[in-house]
Amino acid sequence: MSIKIEQSSEKINSIGGLILIGRQLKKIKFSKHIKKSLKRLNKRSDAIQSSDILLSYIGLLCMGSTAFEDIEEYRDNLTFKHLLGIRVVPSAETLRQRLDELAKQAVVSEILLEMNFLLIREVVLKKTPVTGMKLIVLDMDASPMDNSGSYKEKISNTYKNFMGYCPVFAYISENGYMLNCNLRPGKDHSMVGAVDFIEKCIEITDRLGITDKILIRLDSGYDAADLIEAINDRCYFIIKRNIRQESKEYWLDHAKSHCSWSKVREGKIRYTGFIEHVKPAHREDIENINVVIEAFESTIDREGQHLLLSEIKLNTFWTNLPLEAEEVIELYHNHGTSEQYHSELKTDMDVERLPSGKFITNSLVLQLAQTAYNLLRRISIDVVEFEKVKVSRRRIRTVLF
């Protein structure tokens, strides 16, 4: 059989996978809700409905692209329109202009948050078994986005020493669905807006009926009494403490006197246990909280060299969990998985350098990326469930179309 190869200027797109995206959107009546909610935002002069603008960009994000110009490849693609329930696909310039306009409408953000709630309500949230109960983890963290070399509104130097934004994300369950997100200027500390953000997350878990089963895990950037007070009586939490100027020697002496120990290797001892009398910011009114200690003392290094002074490494955590110290520490260490979720969003989906020069438009883009992320996450989990080869999870890049 002879094979004939011809050169063509026509672009070839593989979008068959959008049928899975379309099915999820149809199941929660996404298009219907969007069209009904945004109907009053459509102007008589608009040739394209606001719902078509948002769905077109969600489709683009599901294809792993954020650039407005890339929508041109799908303008005349009937399959793209049909699978996403779009009447008219906008041009790149129309997409940019209309997203700028929609970003100014607070109701659009509220609608997208509601749509995200409907998506999460449809899935089974994987529980984490611990002694005597099963919890659903909620990992919240800031993750800087590098937008160096641009002049976008509100980019500034982040704690990773590049110019960009510093959004905050909340992921729920071991499946890694994104519960909420918020774009912030790059200079913002983790605690800027953190209490309001986490209270919004808890409101969503209230609607899901799972707040009493939630375990919130936070790094030391969130070690603040106000935040601890806001969540202490509502759900379980583990927050890594900021050691600040505290004496490591003091904590090690306490650990030696009151904690259990184990030998890591020759010349290295690990101590784990609790301390009860320490309170966040010395707030005696914050009750039922313990500090979990994990301390390492090394007198011999890995090469067998004896150290003149002991090397001390220390981790301490605020928690209200009624568990042994070892289990609390292990639960917190698993918080590191959320770093992989950041990577999948920023690298696999290419949502690192946001496409607009306007902050509010980029905030809207991030919300649309949250929707696309959860659609792709659902597919990746379904792929794992049906695979013959047993794997724990698939990165989103394996299901991009």
Side-chain angles (χ1 to χ4, degrees):
M1 180 179 70
S2 61
I3 299 175
K4 185 178 180 180
I5 300 175
E6 293 183 356
Q7 187 175 11
S8 172
S9 60
E10 182 180 351
K11 291 189 176 181
I12 301 174
N13 300 308
S14 174
I15 63 171
L18 283 180
I19 191 171
L20 302 177
I21 298 294
R23 283 180 178 176
Q24 292 184 71
L25 292 172
K26 186 176 181 180
K27 187 174 183 180
I28 64 167
K29 300 179 180 178
F30 191 96
S31 297
K32 183 178 179 180
H33 284 301
I34 288 287
K35 288 176 182 178
K36 182 179 179 180
S37 301
L38 298 182
K39 187 176 181 180
R40 66 181 182 84
L41 296 182
N42 295 319
K43 302 174 184 176
R44 289 187 177 181
S45 58
D46 290 338
I48 305 176
Q49 294 183 354
S50 297
S51 57
D52 285 349
I53 298 294
L54 297 179
L55 286 167
S56 293
Y57 197 68
I58 288 173
L60 194 62
L61 287 162
C62 288
M63 303 295 290
S65 176
T66 58
F68 299 133
E69 294 75 17
D70 290 344
I71 198 64
E72 296 290 344
E73 297 181 22
Y74 307 101
R75 288 189 68 191
D76 299 319
N77 192 307
L78 296 178
T79 304
F80 184 86
K81 296 177 185 178
H82 175 70
L83 293 178
L84 296 176
I86 298 170
R87 186 174 62 88
V88 181
V89 177
S91 65
E93 192 55 39
T94 298
L95 181 62
R96 181 191 298 274
Q97 291 174 353
R98 294 289 298 281
L99 285 177
D100 286 344
E101 294 172 5
L102 290 169
K104 297 174 184 177
Q105 304 290 334
V107 67
V108 176
S109 177
E110 294 171 6
I111 292 166
L112 289 176
L113 192 60
E114 179 65 18
M115 294 300 99
N116 196 60
F117 166 77
L118 293 176
L119 278 172
I120 293 176
R121 191 179 65 178
E122 287 293 319
V123 303
V124 176
L125 297 174
K126 187 176 180 180
K127 296 179 181 179
T128 302
V130 297
T131 302
M133 56 185 141
K134 292 183 178 179
L135 301 175
I136 298 175
V137 296
L138 196 162
D139 293 298
M140 172 179 156
D141 199 7
S143 181
M145 288 179 163
D146 189 350
N147 281 251
S148 302
S150 68
Y151 298 94
K152 298 169 186 175
E153 187 180 8
K154 294 191 180 182
I155 65 166
S156 49
N157 196 43
T158 68
Y159 67 81
K160 288 194 175 180
N161 291 321
F162 56 64
M163 297 295 288
Y165 297 110
C166 192
V168 61
F169 301 97
Y171 303 96
I172 191 165
S173 88
E174 292 184 5
N175 301 128
Y177 290 105
M178 193 184 298
L179 187 73
N180 200 4
C181 64
N182 182 33
L183 188 66
R184 307 180 309 157
K187 65 181 180 181
D188 279 7
H189 184 272
S190 295
M191 274 304 299
V192 175
V195 174
D196 289 341
F197 182 82
I198 205 165
E199 286 185 341
K200 185 63 179 179
C201 291
I202 294 175
E203 285 178 19
I204 299 171
T205 63
D206 282 343
R207 292 184 63 195
L208 292 169
I210 57 173
T211 297
D212 61 331
K213 304 180 184 71
I214 289 292
L215 167 62
I216 297 176
R217 299 187 293 200
L218 306 169
D219 66 21
S220 58
Y222 299 96
D223 176 11
D226 288 347
L227 187 146
I228 293 173
E229 182 182 28
I231 65 177
N232 185 32
D233 295 328
R234 302 174 70 181
C235 49
Y236 294 112
F237 64 85
I238 306 172
I239 303 174
K240 188 172 184 180
R241 296 181 67 254
N242 189 333
I243 300 298
R244 297 182 176 89
Q245 302 301 316
E246 295 176 6
S247 167
K248 291 184 179 180
E249 288 74 17
Y250 163 80
W251 285 100
L252 180 63
D253 287 344
H254 177 87
K256 286 182 175 180
S257 301
H258 300 90
C259 300
S260 59
W261 65 275
S262 60
K263 184 176 180 180
V264 179
R265 57 171 172 78
E266 189 66 30
K268 185 173 183 178
I269 304 296
R270 177 177 183 250
Y271 299 90
T272 58
F274 289 94
I275 185 169
E276 298 180 1
H277 66 271
V278 178
K279 298 290 185 179
H282 307 291
R283 291 271 302 275
E284 294 299 328
D285 59 313
I286 301 179
E287 301 178 343
N288 303 318
I289 293 179
N290 292 321
V291 175
V292 171
I293 306 170
E294 181 184 38
F296 296 89
E297 182 183 30
S298 298
T299 55
I300 303 173
D301 66 18
R302 290 182 177 277
E303 284 69 42
Q305 179 67 43
H306 286 260
L307 302 174
L308 184 62
L309 297 174
S310 297
E311 183 180 274
I312 302 170
K313 290 185 179 180
L314 177 69
N315 295 311
T316 60
F317 310 91
W318 301 112
T319 189
N320 59 357
L321 277 169
L323 300 175
E324 295 297 324
E326 287 279 0
E327 196 163 9
V328 172
I329 293 166
E330 181 62 25
L331 281 169
Y332 181 81
H333 286 169
N334 293 335
H335 171 64
T337 304
S338 62
E339 291 293 329
Q340 298 177 34
Y341 304 149
H342 299 328
S343 175
E344 291 176 50
L345 178 75
K346 295 191 290 185
T347 304
D348 297 1
M349 292 179 61
D350 200 27
V351 186
E352 173 87 37
R353 297 184 67 85
L354 296 173
S356 178
K358 300 178 180 179
F359 182 79
I360 58 172
T361 303
N362 282 332
S363 294
L364 176 58
V365 165
L366 191 63
Q367 268 201 290
L368 292 168
Q370 175 178 250
T371 300
Y373 171 93
N374 282 333
L375 291 167
L376 292 169
R377 172 64 68 210
R378 174 68 184 276
I379 294 171
S380 71
I381 291 169
D382 287 347
V383 167
V384 169
E385 289 178 353
F386 285 99
E387 278 186 327
K388 292 182 180 179
V389 179
K390 193 168 184 179
V391 294
S392 59
R393 61 186 295 268
R394 285 284 189 191
R395 284 185 67 102
I396 280 178
R397 68 183 174 199
T398 63
V399 293
L400 285 174
F401 311 112

